[in-house]
Amino acid sequence: MTRRGPGRPKRETRTPDHTELMRKGLRAFADLGYEAVSVRELNDRLGMGHTFIHDRYGSKDAFWRAVIAHEVENLSAELTAALTAGPADDLEWLMNGVRAFHRASAHYPHLNQVIDYEAARESDRLDHLYTVTEPLTETIRPVFDRLVAAGRIRDIPWHVFHFVITKPALLYGQAPWARRFGRPDDADDSTAIAETILHGLVT
């Protein structure tokens, strides 16, 4: 039997799949927060050598931005697919978008956790999150305004609408907390949440 020499075991030599890197990075930022997670711990979580992030991305901030870009692109693609395939009627279009957002958030819950963490403090990262998500939200804004004007959904401020739609999605990434309220780990409740939200919005 070959004995391993002294020192730490070698890190994985293969370059992992890009999506795998982005998912692991997002989970680390979601679990620990940007300030708390060190570059060393990020590299450990990625299963890479201790210089990987520096060599590949240059800095923790650049890696964070790459992770966010990847996840926002995926979320936007899922929502765009649902919205472009939907009916021309504004209300059905909006309802399809809310349902698609919650389906996607249930599958990939950690982006909402990162946004929730960053949203509580002013920073360049928060500005960046707003910038990269603004095109998607601004696609929805005119439809929201028309539906309010037509009296088809409740006349609430745009910011209230935004938080009513997005904040419940934090449930999908808070399994330990939800478990204490009896939510099974394999729960598939994104439809129930989306329909509850829509029931409260539609007049």
Side-chain angles (χ1 to χ4, degrees):
M1 182 177 71
T2 303
R3 299 182 61 186
R4 182 175 64 83
R8 299 180 65 181
K10 290 183 179 180
R11 307 299 280 168
E12 195 170 332
T13 56
R14 73 179 179 91
T15 300
D17 175 76
H18 178 70
T19 296
E20 180 185 351
L21 278 177
M22 297 296 100
R23 293 283 185 225
K24 287 181 177 180
L26 185 70
R27 180 65 185 266
F29 288 123
D31 287 348
L32 301 173
Y34 180 87
E35 286 87 359
V37 65
S38 67
V39 173
R40 178 181 291 275
E41 183 161 10
L42 282 171
N43 283 319
D44 283 344
R45 286 196 173 214
L46 297 177
M48 305 304 293
H50 68 278
T51 65
F52 176 77
I53 287 177
H54 175 77
D55 293 344
R56 176 69 68 89
Y57 297 95
S59 68
K60 181 170 76 167
D61 181 71
F63 178 65
W64 181 89
R65 289 170 188 259
V67 165
I68 294 302
H70 180 267
E71 199 68 7
V72 169
E73 181 179 344
N74 285 345
L75 179 63
S76 297
E78 291 200 30
L79 292 185
T80 299
L83 295 175
T84 55
D89 177 73
D90 278 348
L91 183 57
E92 286 299 318
W93 185 90
L94 184 68
M95 293 171 72
N96 283 349
V98 171
R99 292 170 182 137
F101 170 76
H102 278 271
R103 284 195 303 271
S105 296
H107 291 150
Y108 311 113
H110 301 116
L111 177 61
N112 286 303
Q113 289 178 274
V114 170
I115 292 174
D116 190 60
Y117 172 84
E118 297 293 346
R121 51 194 60 78
E122 291 287 350
S123 70
D124 290 342
R125 293 186 305 279
L126 183 60
D127 290 337
H128 181 72
L129 283 168
Y130 184 82
T131 298
V132 297
T133 58
E134 187 178 24
L136 184 59
T137 58
E138 288 305 307
T139 298
I140 299 169
R141 180 71 181 268
V143 179
F144 166 81
D145 289 339
R146 289 197 299 269
L147 289 169
V148 168
R152 300 183 70 188
I153 63 173
R154 298 188 184 281
D155 186 1
I156 59 176
W158 168 245
H159 71 274
V160 173
F161 172 80
H162 169 79
F163 282 97
V164 164
I165 299 300
T166 60
K167 279 298 182 180
L170 287 171
L171 165 67
Y172 311 126
Q174 296 181 348
W177 182 238
R179 196 179 297 129
R180 285 159 171 77
F181 291 88
R183 182 180 187 255
D185 287 341
D186 61 350
D188 182 11
D189 41 25
S190 62
T191 298
I193 293 174
E195 296 305 323
T196 300
I197 293 168
L198 291 170
H199 181 75
L201 283 173
V202 178
T203 57

